[in-house]
Amino acid sequence: MNTVGQGVREIRIRDEVGAFRVLYVAKFADAIYVLHCFQKKTEKTGKADVELAARRYRELLKERGQ
């Protein structure tokens, strides 16, 4: 999901309860960072979910000094 940040990936899960998404970044050697998890209510990923993950990604880069 380059709309969130470089190297951000998405796991899509669908079961009888509904559809879920996990946005994460695994480009660092020491850890995998989960940026946001949520249940999908519509076909399109909501703007608020994308913005939250993007903000957390930017904060992560600051924290790591990158």
Side-chain angles (χ1 to χ4, degrees):
M1 289 205 71
N2 287 331
T3 54
V4 173
Q6 186 180 6
V8 175
R9 303 283 188 228
E10 174 183 44
I11 297 174
R12 298 175 179 198
I13 303 164
R14 185 180 300 275
D15 68 8
E16 62 277 350
V17 178
F20 302 85
R21 297 291 185 268
V22 179
L23 303 178
Y24 70 97
V25 62
K27 68 179 189 175
F28 306 110
D30 60 333
I32 296 171
Y33 295 92
V34 175
L35 302 172
H36 188 40
C37 306
F38 55 97
Q39 183 174 8
K40 297 264 302 184
K41 302 291 185 182
T42 63
E43 280 295 310
K44 189 175 179 183
T45 300
K47 182 179 178 183
D49 291 309
V50 172
E51 288 175 352
L52 176 61
R55 186 176 75 239
R56 290 177 175 170
Y57 180 75
R58 288 190 305 270
E59 290 170 359
L60 171 64
L61 293 180
K62 281 184 191 177
E63 209 175 274
R64 294 182 57 87
Q66 298 181 357

